[in-house]
Amino acid sequence: DAGVIQSPRHEVTEMGQEVTLRCKPISGHNSLFWYRQTMMRGLELLIYFNNNVPIDDSGMPEDRFSAKMPNASFSTLKIQPSEPRDSAVYFCASNLIGGGTEAFFGQGTRLTVV
Amino acid sequence: GENVEQHPSTLSVQEGDSAVIKCTYSDSASNYFPWYKQELGKRPQLIIDIRSNVGEKKDQRIAVTLNKTAKHFSLHITETQPEDSAVYFCAASKSTGNQFYFGTGTSLTVIP
């Protein structure tokens, strides 16, 4: 397996534009996480899905952020409209439900909003 | 949700010395505690983990201890080497729910 795959690796966009980040979890994994990493706040859990269903989105900063998982092999994180303070590295991770299993991270998407 | 605190935020040690990073968690139902290493510009990767039915686990130069009563766990790296320089994250997770909450990270620098 190629691991967790995220796209794009880098994204530069202007303030106010819509941004969509994509993630393909490891085949067979049934839980998917979205994290945001900044120097100030570290790794923040934004949302996670179990069996494609959002379980906890309390980490989503505000209504400008939304996430979907239409099937077991694909998830998106959308920011609309984007703001400079959204600049960060966004990681997707996946594992098997049940706890006690390693979460595998994708390479991350470095987002810069100018 | 779970609150994971990690200390120190930065740590510098001489090559060959030991490094200790400490974390506390708030949810007594958490039962899985992994540690991740993140090198500059790369993804976090698991280096060791411990479950709540175990008090200590060791893998070569790396060890983790868990005190369930006090709700804290620690990472110990012995005989540090320059390639140990990275950011280390602790995390807490539980079987019911499966969410992973991370500490804020410790930037470890090993000075040759």
Side-chain angles (χ1 to χ4, degrees):
Chain A
D1 198 317
V4 177
I5 300 173
Q6 290 186 246
S7 64
R9 291 290 308 278
H10 303 273
E11 177 79 34
V12 180
T13 190
E14 291 186 348
M15 182 173 62
Q17 296 298 307
E18 177 180 299
V19 176
T20 299
L21 311 182
R22 297 172 175 79
C23 176
K24 182 181 186 310
I26 290 174
S27 178
H29 282 186
N30 50 12
S31 189
L32 183 142
F33 309 83
W34 282 101
Y35 290 92
R36 177 172 67 178
Q37 185 174 34
T38 60
M39 288 293 293
M40 293 299 296
R41 301 173 70 90
L43 270 169
E44 299 176 272
L45 176 63
L46 300 178
I47 186 172
Y48 79 98
F49 298 82
N50 284 349
N51 292 316
N52 314 337
V53 176
I55 302 300
D56 183 357
D57 65 354
S58 60
M60 297 286 262
E62 47 199 272
D63 292 346
R64 298 184 298 107
F65 285 68
S66 62
K68 294 182 179 180
M69 192 163 187
N71 57 61
S73 60
F74 184 65
S75 177
T76 59
L77 178 67
K78 185 179 294 186
I79 308 173
Q80 166 63 19
S82 57
E83 297 181 4
R85 61 194 169 114
D86 301 331
S87 298
V89 178
Y90 290 81
F91 284 102
C92 175
S94 72
N95 77 341
L96 288 169
I97 296 172
T101 63
E102 177 182 356
F104 293 84
F105 282 78
Q107 295 274 36
T109 294
R110 180 174 294 279
L111 173 65
T112 303
V113 183
V114 298
Chain B
E2 172 72 274
N3 181 39
V4 179
E5 296 188 355
Q6 182 171 348
H7 301 279
S9 57
T10 60
L11 179 61
S12 292
V13 298
Q14 291 288 334
E15 182 177 358
D17 286 351
S18 295
V20 180
I21 303 170
K22 298 181 178 182
C23 287
T24 60
Y25 61 98
S26 61
D27 189 342
S28 57
S30 291
N31 55 8
Y32 175 63
F33 307 93
W35 286 88
Y36 284 76
K37 176 183 180 182
Q38 186 179 27
E39 296 177 347
L40 189 63
K42 296 190 177 180
R43 75 186 89 186
Q45 292 191 290
L46 181 77
I47 55 172
I48 194 168
D49 56 16
I50 191 167
R51 290 170 174 73
S52 58
N53 58 346
V54 176
E56 184 174 357
K57 183 177 179 180
K58 190 173 182 180
D59 183 3
Q60 299 182 342
R61 297 186 297 108
I62 296 173
V64 58
T65 59
L66 171 65
N67 183 326
K68 287 190 297 182
T69 303
K71 295 206 279 289
H72 66 71
F73 55 114
S74 301
L75 177 71
H76 304 253
I77 306 174
T78 59
E79 301 172 25
T80 53
Q81 301 167 3
E83 52 264 40
D84 295 330
S85 295
V87 178
Y88 292 81
F89 292 94
C90 62
S93 179
K94 56 186 178 184
S95 302
T96 55
N98 196 41
Q99 60 269 59
F100 273 71
Y101 290 96
F102 283 85
T104 49
T106 297
S107 178
L108 173 65
T109 302
V110 179
I111 304 166

